[in-house]
Each structure stands twice: as structure tokens, then as C-alpha cells.
Amino acid sequence: MAVQCRTQTGLRDSGQISNISPEGCCVQICGLAFRLGSRVLLRPEGMEGLTGVVRWIAGDAAGVEFDQPLYGPVVEHLIRRHGVAVEVCAA
């Protein structure tokens, strides 16, 4: 699923969410250097912005824990609509 990401320092880039759950997601963005514990704002295609904290980093992927969990049926809808695989970015 396409996503726009903004870091707490104001840097922005686009990328992909390849894993999503009510508690967080895996974000892959090549143009940003994530830092553990940093805050990010994610704007998935067709959704409101989601804020969270970077909990792990692996190459150009980062695990983001949402500040507020997503409603379960919303996550299920996104997975069906975008085919977002749940196991792709396991830490």
C-alpha cells in the first residue's frame, strides 16, 4: 500500500507499507534514514495520517508502532483491498 512519510525533523518521502496490524506496520522507504525511537507521521493512500514511533530498523524498512491502535475491521479491509501481507517484515 502506498504511503507518504514525514519524520519529526520534517523530512518527507513516499514508500510502501508491506505489513500492517492494529498496533503498527512495516514501512519501506529508500530516501529516509529512520532512527530508533523517532516519531513519524504516515499517510497511507486513502487514509488519515497515522502517528507512531519507530521500534526497529532493517535496511530501508522500519517497524512503526501506532500511537492509537487501528480498529480491527479497518485493518482487515486494508489487507483485502491492498493485499498487504502480514508476514513480510517480521522483526
Side-chain angles (χ1 to χ4, degrees), residues 56-67:
W56 58 263
I57 301 167
D60 63 355
V64 176
E65 179 183 15
F66 299 138
D67 291 337

Side-chain angles (χ1 to χ4, degrees), residues 20-82:
I20 192 165
S21 73
E23 295 79 25
C25 67
C26 173
V27 180
Q28 293 181 304
I29 298 179
C30 295
L32 293 177
F34 292 109
R35 296 182 70 177
L36 286 176
S38 66
R39 301 200 49 77
V40 293
L41 171 65
L42 303 174
R43 291 191 185 272
E45 186 176 283
M47 290 183 64
E48 295 289 322
L50 304 169
T51 57
V53 177
V54 175
R55 296 297 183 196
W56 58 263
I57 301 167
D60 63 355
V64 176
E65 179 183 15
F66 299 138
D67 291 337
Q68 298 292 321
L70 295 178
Y71 184 54
V74 170
V75 175
E76 292 170 13
H77 170 74
L78 291 172
I79 292 169
R80 280 192 309 272
R81 181 171 180 205
H82 296 281

